[in-house]
Amino acid sequence: MSFLGFLLLGLIAGAIAKAILPGRQGGGWLITLLLGVVGALLGGWLGGILFGVNLQEFFSLQTWLLAIGGSIVVLLIYGALTRNKKA
């Protein structure tokens, strides 16, 4: 997959992950989309390690599932790190 295709995949996966997650995540759409790209990288890496599959083609279902799953994980971690904790 080309770099631009991978970037587009990450941006869309980040938007889908934000729509799937309940509640409000801080950071706005720009941070969410950037975290989606990181999540797509993480999803591809974890998919390769755990399941022996990698990000293949742009229109592949496994590519999208790995990218969205990785984006959800990254958004959850980001939300946990930036959550305001009241004492």
Side-chain angles (χ1 to χ4, degrees):
M1 182 180 341
S2 72
F3 176 74
L4 292 177
F6 184 76
L7 185 62
L8 181 63
L9 171 74
L11 293 175
I12 295 170
I16 292 171
K18 182 159 181 118
I20 290 173
L21 286 176
R24 295 181 52 128
Q25 295 84 28
W29 280 98
L30 180 63
I31 296 296
T32 302
L33 295 176
L34 291 174
L35 290 174
V37 173
V38 173
L41 281 169
L42 176 69
W45 180 70
L46 286 176
I49 289 175
L50 297 176
F51 306 114
V53 296
N54 294 315
L55 299 177
Q56 301 295 322
E57 296 181 19
F58 186 79
F59 294 106
S60 169
L61 180 61
Q62 76 180 17
T63 297
W64 282 94
L65 292 177
L66 288 172
I68 293 169
S71 297
I72 288 173
V73 169
V74 170
L75 284 173
L76 287 172
I77 292 170
Y78 178 76
L81 293 175
T82 60
R83 185 177 308 148
N84 292 334
K85 301 196 184 216
K86 297 180 180 180

